[in-house]
Amino acid sequence: MEKIKAIFFDFDWTLFDHQIKDFNKLGVEAINKVHEKGIKLIINSARSYYSLKGLHTFEKIKFDGFVTSNGGSCILDGKTLYADFYKKEVSDKVLKFLNEHNLSYNLICQFNTFIKVTDEKIVKDFYSVFYEPFPLDIKEYKGEDILAFQVFITEENEAELKELIQSLNLHYDRFAENNVEISPIEFLKSKGIETIFNYLNIKKEEGMAFGDDLNDISMFKIVKYGICMGNGKDEAKKEAFYITDRIEENGIYNALKKFEII
């Protein structure tokens, strides 16, 4: 086996066990041992930086880099390698629509997330299902560049919003019954990995990635050692190099031991 130089980790149901609402203890211990060997550790999550920070991720693990918003932003050793922000004239049009239609929404920026609440019930319903730090009030927003909008809206009420999105050629993803994410382009986790590989001159054979869901497939395809959690989706398992144990069975720790990373 080639010497591994960088390992990428998904967050939900890979590092973070939602059954106990905490990190897998053995997994965290193992990952920090990996870091002591000089291997680069990068989180690669659909979550925003604000969300990951709010869940104490960076206090638990000594990450060297962060691919956040499903690949929308990439930071390594404190340096932003890229961030696929909206052009201001486009984000202004989306904001105008959301405000005129009195919709609740989140603004996902590189380091902070802001919320405007106009419908308390739909927002409460969302956060009762998704374990998320509650965003900053929209009044604190100071014009930061925007990576994505999360709009609290149900499918039966989204027709006009979809028309706007199509007219602006934006990417639209319904990831919850009462929420859609709108980004300037389709974000892919693989873009963050490719960027870091190029920046550090790392080969595909020197990379490993852990994940469990459909959006982790792009990671598995760009590294040689794609490791799917035992609790992962069947589609993700089919694309993985290796299927480890479930998160509650210490899947990360067991895989790192198997491949003699620790």
Side-chain angles (χ1 to χ4, degrees):
M1 178 176 169
E2 298 81 1
K3 178 178 173 62
I4 297 298
K5 294 183 178 178
I7 307 180
F8 299 81
F9 295 91
D10 171 51
F11 183 82
D12 295 287
W13 294 110
T14 299
L15 279 175
F16 194 89
D17 187 341
H18 285 268
Q19 287 184 321
I20 61 172
K21 290 187 168 53
D22 202 355
F23 295 82
N24 177 267
K25 185 178 178 182
L26 266 184
V28 169
E29 291 175 3
I31 292 168
N32 283 325
K33 286 180 182 177
V34 168
H35 193 259
E36 292 171 4
K37 292 189 170 187
I39 297 172
K40 290 289 187 183
L41 300 180
I42 298 99
I43 194 158
N44 198 333
S45 175
R47 286 181 179 262
S48 67
Y49 184 95
Y50 176 88
S51 175
L52 293 168
K53 183 180 178 182
L55 291 173
H56 309 290
T57 309
F58 311 142
E59 299 167 26
K60 299 273 187 178
I61 301 170
K62 299 172 183 176
F63 283 110
D64 300 288
F66 318 101
V67 179
T68 59
S69 298
N70 213 44
S73 171
C74 178
I75 299 167
L76 183 69
D77 295 330
K79 178 181 179 180
T80 297
L81 300 187
Y82 74 82
D84 287 320
F85 296 121
Y86 274 90
K87 293 180 180 178
K88 190 173 186 309
E89 61 268 26
V90 177
S91 62
D92 283 349
K93 288 179 181 178
V94 178
L95 274 173
K96 182 181 178 185
F97 177 94
L98 298 177
N99 290 328
E100 286 179 348
H101 288 74
N102 204 34
L103 291 168
S104 299
Y105 59 85
N106 287 334
L107 296 183
I108 311 294
C109 301
Q110 190 172 21
F111 298 110
N112 287 312
T113 299
F114 304 89
I115 191 167
K116 180 174 182 180
V117 180
T118 58
D119 182 337
E120 291 187 3
K121 184 182 184 304
I122 196 170
V123 171
K124 183 178 179 181
D125 288 347
F126 176 84
Y127 283 100
S128 70
V129 174
F130 286 85
Y131 190 64
E132 286 266 345
F134 200 75
L136 302 169
D137 191 282
I138 193 68
K139 293 175 183 176
E140 298 186 47
Y141 175 64
K142 304 299 180 185
E144 294 96 322
D145 289 329
I146 298 169
L147 283 169
F149 294 90
Q150 288 180 346
V151 184
F152 298 89
I153 192 169
T154 56
E155 194 168 355
E156 60 266 27
N157 295 321
E158 70 178 3
E160 286 186 73
L161 178 61
K162 288 191 86 168
E163 286 181 15
L164 174 74
I165 300 317
Q166 290 167 1
S167 72
L168 296 174
N169 198 29
L170 303 177
H171 187 260
Y172 191 86
D173 176 34
R174 175 165 291 284
F175 69 98
E177 182 181 349
N178 49 12
N179 202 301
V180 296
E181 183 160 302
I182 306 164
S183 53
I185 59 173
E186 182 180 8
F187 292 159
L188 292 171
K189 290 185 174 187
S190 55
K191 181 176 180 177
I193 296 179
E194 183 178 23
T195 300
I196 289 173
F197 277 2
N198 290 336
Y199 185 80
L200 295 176
N201 195 27
I202 291 176
K203 301 173 186 175
K204 176 179 182 176
E205 294 77 17
E206 297 170 325
M208 179 177 281
F210 286 82
D212 73 297
D213 212 336
L214 302 184
N215 61 345
D216 297 315
I217 291 174
S218 74
M219 291 204 299
F220 296 164
K221 287 184 174 181
I222 203 168
V223 302
K224 179 173 180 179
Y225 299 100
I227 314 296
C228 189
M229 306 299 289
N231 49 275
K233 298 282 180 62
D234 288 341
E235 297 91 333
K237 289 178 179 178
K238 288 176 184 177
E239 300 293 341
F241 180 88
Y242 176 74
I243 301 170
T244 188
D245 299 305
R246 298 176 62 86
I247 185 171
E248 69 270 22
E249 297 168 346
N250 305 310
I252 288 178
Y253 172 84
N254 294 340
L256 292 174
K257 288 282 285 185
K258 174 181 173 55
F259 289 97
E260 298 182 347
I261 309 298
I262 55 172

